[in-house]
Structures are given as C-alpha cells and as structure tokens.
Amino acid sequence: EGLRRSNRVRLVYPAEANELFVVMPRSMDEQLRAAGANYFEWMPDSLDGGLREDEVFVRLVTSYATPPDAVDRLLAAIK
C-alpha cells in the first residue's frame, strides 16, 4: 500500500505475494543502498517499455521473518 501512494516509484506488476517489482530513480536506488537497504536489481529487458537512463528496475522481497520496522524504514526513505 505504501509504495502505491508514492509518486517517486512505480509498481510494474500488481502486488500479489511477497515480491514487488518496482521502477525507481537511480539516485533513489543509490540512497537506499547507502542506507543499508538490501534488494535485487531485476531484468530490465522484461519490461515492455524499457527504462530511462536514470531509472532502475528492482525486486523487493519480504518474508514472515522481515521485521515490520524494516518495511517502515524503507517506505519512509521512499516518501
């Protein structure tokens, strides 16, 4: 829900499970990783429209072991 409200990222596919596929600005990706976020860069060739030079396509994964505060910190950094 939090990512859908952001105007800084876009969800590529509907959220149906514990994996979210997101396009975000490359500068945001760098800031999140510098702050300790851990996620996977995904295959941009799987996007219909491709990416702009200043964007990155990532896969965010959670599990039952993911602390809720980790999700909250990521959402706060994206807002």
Side-chain angles (χ1 to χ4, degrees):
E1 186 65 31
L3 289 176
R4 270 191 283 243
R5 286 183 276 174
S6 173
N7 63 351
R8 299 181 68 203
V9 302
R10 71 180 190 271
L11 290 173
V12 176
Y13 308 113
E16 296 178 353
N18 66 324
E19 297 181 356
L20 298 172
F21 295 88
V22 177
V23 173
M24 66 176 65
R26 190 166 298 281
S27 60
M28 178 185 289
D29 172 56
E30 293 166 359
Q31 291 170 347
L32 292 173
R33 290 180 189 273
N38 187 17
Y39 50 84
F40 306 94
E41 192 160 345
W42 207 241
M43 302 166 284
D45 57 334
S46 64
L47 290 171
D48 288 337
L51 293 173
R52 296 189 315 244
E53 283 290 319
D54 63 339
E55 292 180 321
V56 63
F57 183 32
V58 302
R59 180 180 71 141
L60 306 174
V61 181
T62 60
S63 76
Y64 290 109
T66 304
D69 67 311
V71 175
D72 293 340
R73 285 193 314 270
L74 181 72
L75 291 174
I78 287 174
K79 288 183 181 178

